[in-house]
Amino acid sequence: MNRTISFWGLFALICALPFSACQDEKEPIDTMYSGFMTGYTDSEGYITVLNDDFGRQYMVSEKSEQLEPDTLYRIVASVALDENQTARILQTAPTMSYKALKDHLLPDSLRAKDPVEIQGIYIGGGYLNINVGVKVQKEGTMHSLIYTYRNMPGKLKFKLYHNAYGDGQVYTKRVYISIPLQGYGLGKNATVFLSCKGYQEDYDYKLVYK
């Protein structure tokens, strides 16, 4: 079956919302799991399969939000896993997940360097996954985030640009980024870099692609 790839939240801010679940004491207690995942929709647009970044696959027991049919979605999800390791989706958050732009092709007008806070970063599932904190003044404020790349022998360098458009820094919202690493010719143990401006000091990460 042919599948298209979709991404949510390009140049947008996303906030992870808390969730809660009530459990009947007589029922088996589900295992809760949250993280970056790849979801696959069926012919009706419902996610029926979830793959996490550590080689585990879960069948989805209940219908959630209806999306594009026969499509791959990169998301952050909170799920409840029953004793058969079947997943019930509790919550999803959209994720920026598109092929990076070549750095030299990005116009100077889009090379804004407002700071961000990297709250987590790792390579898994064929993606560079980043949990980013961005300070905003109020709900609904629009910022832009763009990432670019430079490909060198044995090295892949990403840069993250943030434009806050002069917004105030009152509280932190989360943005989830999942950069596909396919198509760059990365070999085992190649080095992947990420650099961006931080609030206290700039970030310069170095990770090994395995």
Side-chain angles (χ1 to χ4, degrees), residues 5 38 72 97 99-100 124-128 156 158 178-186 209:
I5 297 178
T38 301
L72 180 159
S97 186
K99 184 174 175 60
Y127 297 84
L128 176 61
L156 181 60
F158 293 103
S178 194
I179 306 175
L181 296 178
Q182 299 85 357
Y184 296 104
L186 290 174
Y209 180 77

Side-chain angles (χ1 to χ4, degrees), residues 36-101:
F36 285 93
M37 299 184 191
T38 301
Y40 300 87
T41 59
D42 61 13
S43 60
E44 295 182 339
Y46 295 105
I47 293 177
T48 56
V49 178
L50 285 170
N51 288 351
D52 69 15
D53 285 349
F54 308 100
R56 295 182 291 259
Q57 185 175 87
Y58 310 105
M59 304 305 295
V60 178
S61 61
E62 299 178 4
K63 292 182 177 180
S64 55
E65 179 183 2
Q66 193 170 22
L67 306 169
E68 290 294 324
D70 298 321
T71 301
L72 180 159
Y73 281 91
R74 190 64 180 164
I75 59 176
V76 170
S78 296
V79 301
L81 302 175
D82 65 18
E83 56 187 355
N84 297 317
Q85 294 297 287
T86 299
R88 177 167 51 90
I89 298 175
L90 303 174
Q91 178 183 307
T92 62
T95 302
M96 292 175 60
S97 186
Y98 59 91
K99 184 174 175 60
L101 309 172

